[in-house]
Amino acid sequence: MSRETYEAPNTGSGSRAPALGRGNAESALGGEGPATQYKCGDCNAQMKLKRGDPIRCLDCGHRVLYKERTKRMVQFEAR
């Protein structure tokens, strides 16, 4: 069975939650979603971009943007 023909099993509750497929993933997420903080690689300007916004600095037009590091603690287990 291929992924394209897979159908999720019904829960039997009668209400159908939207399936996350290629066609309706954006509508299931509620449209645009939250803005993410980026930093320009050329002029160091900080900006917020949403899904679907062009990847370009709003000040200088440079197309290399760096994603800001998360404030949340991230811990990895080393061997």
Side-chain angles (χ1 to χ4, degrees), residues 8-26:
N10 291 336
T11 59
S13 63
S15 65
R16 288 187 71 175
L20 291 178
R22 288 184 184 145
N24 61 356
E26 193 168 314

Side-chain angles (χ1 to χ4, degrees), residues 7-77:
E7 292 183 23
N10 291 336
T11 59
S13 63
S15 65
R16 288 187 71 175
L20 291 178
R22 288 184 184 145
N24 61 356
E26 193 168 314
S27 63
L29 292 174
E32 294 293 317
T36 306
Q37 188 76 24
Y38 290 95
K39 188 175 186 179
C40 177
D42 193 32
C43 68
N44 292 327
Q46 293 189 356
M47 66 204 73
K48 288 188 176 187
L49 296 178
K50 292 185 178 182
R51 172 181 275 169
D53 288 347
I55 302 172
R56 186 172 291 259
C57 178
L58 301 174
D59 294 338
C60 68
H62 195 68
R63 298 187 71 189
V64 176
L65 301 178
Y66 296 101
K67 193 173 188 180
E68 291 287 321
R69 184 175 287 193
T70 182
K71 308 282 190 274
R72 189 171 28 153
M73 185 183 85
V74 180
Q75 183 175 356
F76 296 100
E77 184 178 332

